Amino acid sequence: MSQRLILALDEHWPQQPACPWVLLGPDDQPVSRGESDPRHWPQAERCEVVLLGAQALWLEVPLPRGAQRRDLPRLLSYALEDRLLKDPDSQALLLTHRGPAPDGEQDLGGVLVVAKERLRQLVAQLQAVGHPPHRMYAEIQTSPADDEAWHLSLGPGGGVLRPHPDAGQALDAGLLPDLLPVLVARAGAAGQPPAALVLHLAPGTPRPELPPELGARLGQPYEWWSGAAHGRPTNLLQGEFAPREAGGGWLGRLLAPALLGAGALGLWLLATLGQTLWLGHQVSDAQARMARVYQTSFPNAPLVAPAAQMRQQLNQERSRRGLLRDDDALALLAQAAEALGTDAMDVLAGLQYEEGRLDLILNPTSEARARAALGLLASRGLLADLRQDGPALHLLLRRESLQ
């Protein structure tokens, strides 16, 4: 393996250009280390970055059981909409782990949250100084952690607390004496008190004066680069931030297959265009027949939207004969129950119906499931809207009406 240069960048970089760095050899052991500005960084085949402190958040969010990977970006944005100060679309959201929740009804996932603008700035600045980043990690995921104890690491970026391997948060080192007892007490109230508190100090970092009742003991010295070098943290450079040079050497070898694929794609597009035109003709013919049938059945009624008008007339006829309309409460409730799932009653807190509109009052914890059902309801000709009214969550349904 080639040499790797790992940089520790805090929130003040590049305004304050000097930062800690370590150069690893092919065996992933330090060759040299130091703290300097980019002019004095050593050259290496790969450059990796550890984002120190609170530049990243690590949150846990509920996810619908069985949600597909392609739906995760949308579901994560919905789940974090009320927990972030900024628009979720302005943040890079990276799923770190996923597993069943204790209640067994849904999954829980860990999500790293980093501002996209910060990632763009870091990538551009590092490319400008001749060290384009290949990978980037969050210190809240690379610092020491295990299932046996809480681990508090103090290094160049301040403090990082890891209650277990799937959680971490950055803490202000100056607030530790006051903040740690509160966090420990909160964990105890939730029935998950720490078995021990292990303190890791970077070389030259003084030991904080923590309350004796916390029972903090010293662990191994904190080497901020070790988790990035030897662990398997999540790479923050994904999607639009992935290194452009990754896979670039394959371009020449892929050129001929790409041209062949482009030709096949062109033929497929021509065939698809012909099929689309034929289907369009069939749709127009069906609409014309529908209009003729409606005018024959209702010769004195103006023709606006035959399908909707026919449904309206059918509903009126059902009402006269005492049958169920498709916009009655029971019909709308059946559609909603099917879209929300077999256990929909568990999320339903109440309902109201008035003049063709059904208002389902849902438990606040069912927001992700309700949002996932909106598209299914729309495909069935229902106008669905999800609204928050205080602690209550309202799912409003009605049939598309003739305008």
Side-chain angles (χ1 to χ4, degrees):
M1 184 180 290
S2 58
Q3 288 187 330
R4 302 159 62 190
L5 175 65
I6 304 184
L7 308 172
L9 302 183
D10 63 16
E11 59 187 3
H12 302 296
W13 196 90
Q15 288 76 20
Q16 298 178 9
C19 73
W21 55 264
V22 62
L23 181 65
L24 302 180
D27 58 353
D28 283 339
Q29 296 302 315
V31 174
S32 60
R33 65 182 74 186
E35 182 171 349
S36 60
D37 58 44
R39 294 174 300 171
H40 304 293
W41 293 348
Q43 292 297 321
E45 287 81 357
R46 295 176 62 87
C47 177
E48 301 179 5
V49 175
V50 175
L51 292 187
L52 302 180
Q55 296 181 84
L57 295 176
W58 201 358
L59 303 175
E60 190 174 62
V61 298
L63 296 172
R65 178 63 55 83
Q68 300 298 317
R69 180 177 294 273
R70 64 177 179 271
D71 298 326
L72 285 178
R74 175 176 57 85
L75 294 175
L76 293 178
S77 295
Y78 288 148
L80 293 172
E81 189 173 10
D82 297 331
R83 299 177 63 182
L84 299 177
L85 295 177
K86 296 183 178 180
D87 188 342
D89 291 338
S90 69
Q91 311 292 308
L93 308 177
L94 300 113
L95 190 69
T96 60
H97 62 275
R98 179 177 175 181
D103 59 12
E105 295 184 357
Q106 56 187 354
D107 290 343
L108 288 178
V111 184
L112 282 173
V113 182
V114 188
K116 290 182 179 180
E117 186 58 35
R118 180 56 174 165
L119 291 179
R120 293 191 189 98
Q121 179 192 36
L122 291 174
V123 171
Q125 291 288 341
L126 289 169
Q127 288 176 341
V129 299
H131 293 275
H134 292 76
R135 297 178 70 85
M136 192 174 295
Y137 318 108
E139 185 188 22
I140 56 177
Q141 196 185 22
T142 60
S143 56
D146 60 40
D147 292 315
E148 303 299 327
W150 285 19
H151 290 258
L152 175 63
S153 302
L154 296 179
V160 175
L161 180 64
R162 300 288 304 277
H164 53 81
D166 290 334
Q169 65 181 112
L171 302 177
D172 188 327
L175 299 178
L176 289 177
D178 298 322
L179 185 57
L180 268 181
V182 175
L183 296 177
V184 170
R186 186 181 301 171
Q192 298 176 333
L197 177 63
V198 182
L199 188 61
H200 303 271
L201 302 177
T205 302
R207 179 170 181 170
E209 296 183 1
L210 301 178
E213 59 269 18
L214 295 180
R217 59 179 174 85
L218 280 178
Q220 294 293 326
Y222 180 40
E223 297 178 325
W224 59 266
W225 51 268
S226 180
H230 305 119
R232 300 182 61 184
T234 302
N235 182 18
L236 303 179
L237 298 182
Q238 300 183 30
E240 65 177 287
F241 304 104
R244 294 181 180 178
E245 62 271 25
W250 295 89
L251 183 59
R253 280 171 283 179
L254 292 177
L255 182 58
L259 292 176
L260 181 62
L265 179 61
L267 292 176
W268 178 79
L269 288 175
L270 288 175
T272 302
L273 178 61
Q275 185 181 21
T276 301
L277 293 175
W278 171 246
L279 291 176
H281 171 73
Q282 290 183 313
V283 169
S284 298
D285 186 55
Q287 290 175 338
R289 290 199 305 270
M290 191 183 304
R292 290 195 297 270
V293 169
Y294 182 79
Q295 288 178 324
T296 302
S297 302
F298 308 99
N300 298 323
L303 183 64
V304 180
Q309 289 176 284
M310 188 73 76
R311 191 182 76 235
Q312 188 179 67
Q313 296 287 349
L314 181 60
N315 275 332
Q316 292 176 356
E317 188 64 25
R318 285 174 173 171
S319 295
R320 284 195 291 268
R321 295 178 180 272
L323 301 177
L324 189 69
R325 296 166 53 100
D326 64 358
D327 59 354
D328 281 340
L330 287 178
L332 295 176
L333 188 59
Q335 295 279 7
E338 185 175 352
L340 290 172
T342 56
D343 54 352
M345 291 302 296
D346 296 336
V347 303
L348 187 62
L351 61 87
Q352 297 178 355
Y353 176 80
E354 183 178 359
E355 296 182 355
R357 190 180 80 161
L358 180 64
D359 181 2
L360 298 178
I361 306 171
L362 309 178
N363 295 326
T365 57
S366 62
E367 181 177 0
R369 179 186 300 181
R371 290 191 182 278
L374 292 180
L376 181 60
L377 292 169
S379 68
R380 300 181 177 181
L382 289 171
L383 297 178
D385 187 21
L386 196 62
R387 298 179 184 177
Q388 190 80 35
D389 184 9
L393 188 66
H394 292 261
L395 179 61
L396 306 176
L397 300 177
R398 63 181 176 87
R399 278 284 175 187
E400 293 182 355
S401 59
L402 177 63
Q403 301 295 331

